[in-house]
Amino acid sequence: MGACAFDLSHYRELLEAAEAGGYRWAEFDRQPQPGDLFLRHDVDLSLEAALELARLEHELGAHATYFLMTESAFYNLDSHAGRAAHRQLRQWGHRVGLHAVHPHAELDERFDPVIAWHNPEPEYMSEPIAGAVNVMEAPYFTPGHYRSDSNAHWREGCPHEELVGGAFDWLHMNVHPVIWAYRGESMRETMESMLDAKRAEWLEYLANDRIDLS
Ligand SMILES: [Zn+2]
Ligand SMILES: [Zn+2]
């Protein structure tokens, strides 16, 4: 296995590592059991990046929970592309939770009853939520059972080797799709790649709206 790059080929290796370690794809609908891997994706910036990871997971038989926003400045879940992305995630067998902006925790029929707060403050991060699982409440958020790639940095190291070796009794792994779907040696470069892709998408939307781009 090569260096721990934040790209799709190492993401594939991470998923294969989990398979090799005998982990089972778990959903936030019951207490963690030995061998569970709760694969979580907070979709902050790009539905397209989410779909890239979702397709790869589907190909490898992996299941994740995608947390989608209804209040994002970067995408619109009610748009044609937003509805198509939601439908596709469901078709590939993934779960869909709400990536909520505090204190708005309004679930509707699009979401499973599970919530991940966007950029939470410590005061409410792990507080129970009426009618829904909070992914950052106990037991899902427990020291030694949580790894996150926030800002393209695994604070406790990339977990691929520990996954292969079955080192975790169970694990909640938080993976942000844009970091893996877009290229860049730094977060800045990765964001530039995403902005290039968004510019191309927006040009297509403009053409679809019959804007004269000649
Ligand atoms: Zn790695
Ligand atoms: Zn977020």
Side-chain angles (χ1 to χ4, degrees):
M1 200 164 305
C4 294
F6 289 99
D7 59 25
L8 286 175
S9 105
H10 194 52
Y11 188 60
R12 172 186 289 269
E13 289 174 337
L14 258 181
L15 297 174
E16 288 168 348
E19 283 290 341
Y23 288 94
R24 144 180 10 95
W25 307 106
E27 296 160 355
F28 295 92
D29 60 352
R30 60 166 169 76
Q31 300 290 298
Q33 291 170 15
D36 277 349
L37 179 50
F38 297 87
L39 181 53
R40 159 185 168 199
H41 300 299
D42 290 356
V43 182
D44 296 306
L45 302 172
S46 167
L47 291 168
E48 289 71 22
L51 289 173
E52 290 271 331
L53 269 65
R55 179 184 300 110
L56 182 55
E57 288 157 355
H58 176 65
E59 221 179 283
L60 298 177
H63 292 280
T65 305
Y66 283 82
F67 291 88
L68 304 184
M69 302 186 78
T70 54
E71 300 179 56
S72 172
F74 298 98
Y75 64 83
N76 177 4
L77 205 51
D78 284 327
S79 68
H80 179 75
R83 279 182 278 118
H86 177 274
R87 201 162 46 238
Q88 185 63 77
L89 291 172
R90 290 287 192 195
Q91 276 171 10
W92 280 332
H94 300 299
R95 296 212 131 205
V96 179
L98 177 64
H99 195 36
V101 178
H102 196 266
H104 306 145
E106 284 108 41
L107 292 165
D108 58 42
E109 68 289 345
R110 293 173 293 186
F111 303 102
D112 296 313
V114 55
I115 285 175
W117 293 119
H118 174 61
N119 293 340
E121 297 294 337
E123 301 85 76
Y124 60 80
M125 183 175 85
S126 297
E127 289 298 302
I129 300 169
V133 166
N134 175 358
V135 290
M136 293 303 268
E137 73 187 323
Y140 299 110
F141 184 58
T142 308
H145 294 276
Y146 179 76
R147 290 292 172 93
S148 171
D149 65 353
S150 287
N151 277 306
H153 175 66
W154 294 105
R155 202 173 303 173
E156 295 167 83
C158 175
H160 81 253
E161 274 176 28
E162 288 151 286
L163 285 171
V164 172
F168 303 104
D169 180 31
W170 60 270
L171 185 68
H172 169 178
M173 188 161 76
N174 185 4
V175 170
H176 294 80
V178 285
I179 293 173
W180 303 81
Y182 295 112
R183 302 310 304 264
E185 294 301 314
S186 63
M187 205 53 194
R188 170 75 199 203
E189 283 180 21
T190 301
M191 292 298 95
E192 294 287 354
S193 300
M194 180 189 77
L195 289 170
D196 290 346
K198 284 197 181 278
R199 180 180 160 81
E201 281 157 26
W202 277 49
L203 281 168
E204 197 184 311
Y205 296 159
L206 288 168
N208 291 345
D209 268 0
R210 301 195 188 121
I211 303 296
D212 182 1
L213 299 169
S214 62

